Each structure stands twice: as structure tokens, then as C-alpha cells.
Amino acid sequence: MHEQPQPPTLGLTYRVDDLPISRLQQAKADTRISVVIPVSNEAATIGQIVQLIRQDVVDGSGLVDELLVIDSDSSDDTAVIARQAGATVHHARDIRPDLGWNPGKGEAMWKSLFVSSGDVIVFIDGDLTRFDSRYVT
């Protein structure tokens, strides 16, 4: 009987406990890390997500240098809530308007690259109902 070949491993998988904040801080060195949250009408969830990221990995550990919310035409209070919770908020339609505008998550994500300063960009969804700041790490 022939053994089936295994597909190549495309990357490493870690459990959150494998990468304690102290180890990540050492690895970070002078690297700037930005967390970007693309949103559209996420008033129900964005406040808690931003608060936890700010508390645990921005102010708490200093692992994250920049926390941005990129709003894609929300008609609710998403932008206000995100700003009050501690994020810097940009409206996707105002970022490089010369490149056109097509509302949505993809637009918010790629336009965030024009306003973020990180060497590493971490994208987090803004509609997570059971968010844990360890998603960032």
C-alpha cells in the first residue's frame, strides 16, 4: 500500500499561548505595527473591539503603535463610537479621492495603506461579537 503524499505546509500555525506578549515585544524591536479595522455600520460592536485593542495591545503592552478605523460610508454612529473608544478614524471616501470610490471592505482595506504608518498591518473585522484582543497577536 502506497502512502499518500502530504500537501506542503504553507505556513506555521500557533496557539495564542505560544506567543506571549513579552516574546512578541522582543521580536517587534523597532518595527511599527498598525491595526486597521475596516467598517461599515458596525456601531453595535466597534466600541468594544477598539477599547480592548487600545487597553491590551496599544496602551497596555505597547505592541501596537497605531489603531485605525477606516469607515466605509456608515449611516450609523460607527465612526463616532470608534473615535470615542480611542481609534483614529478615517473615512475611506476621503482617502485619495483621485483614485475613485467604491464603498466596501476591500476599498477600506487598500485605502488604509495610504494613511497607516506601520511596517506591519494587522486587519481585524469590526463586526466580531466575541472579540478578544489576542486576535491581534
Side-chain angles (χ1 to χ4, degrees):
M1 189 155 125
H2 290 73
E3 199 171 304
Q4 292 291 333
Q6 296 298 311
T9 302
L10 299 176
L12 299 174
T13 300
Y14 294 97
R15 291 184 321 261
V16 70
D17 296 333
D18 294 338
L19 298 169
I21 293 289
S22 59
R23 183 170 166 202
L24 293 171
Q25 288 168 319
Q26 275 185 321
K28 177 186 177 196
D30 294 331
T31 303
R32 282 192 55 80
I33 299 174
S34 298
V35 170
V36 172
I37 309 170
V39 296
S40 181
N41 294 321
E42 307 300 348
T45 52
I46 193 61
Q48 181 181 20
I49 292 170
V50 169
Q51 285 174 347
L52 287 172
I53 293 171
R54 170 131 323 263
Q55 171 187 307
D56 295 345
V57 291
V58 177
D59 298 335
S61 69
L63 187 63
V64 170
D65 301 291
E66 180 178 51
L67 176 53
L68 302 174
V69 167
I70 310 297
D71 186 30
S72 182
D73 271 4
S74 292
S75 59
D76 63 9
D77 288 331
T78 297
V80 172
I81 293 167
R83 192 173 289 110
Q84 289 173 344
T88 299
V89 177
H90 294 275
H91 297 279
R93 93 169 32 248
D94 298 334
I95 301 169
R96 293 294 309 266
D98 57 304
L99 298 175
W101 170 242
N102 187 13
K105 182 176 181 178
E107 179 94 354
M109 290 176 73
W110 76 265
K111 282 195 168 181
S112 74
L113 301 177
F114 291 107
V115 294
S116 60
S117 64
D119 302 305
V120 174
I121 309 293
V122 178
F123 291 103
I124 297 289
D125 285 339
D127 61 354
L128 300 170
T129 57
R130 299 171 114 190
F131 182 76
D132 186 312
S133 63
R134 294 178 299 176
Y135 291 173
V136 173
T137 58

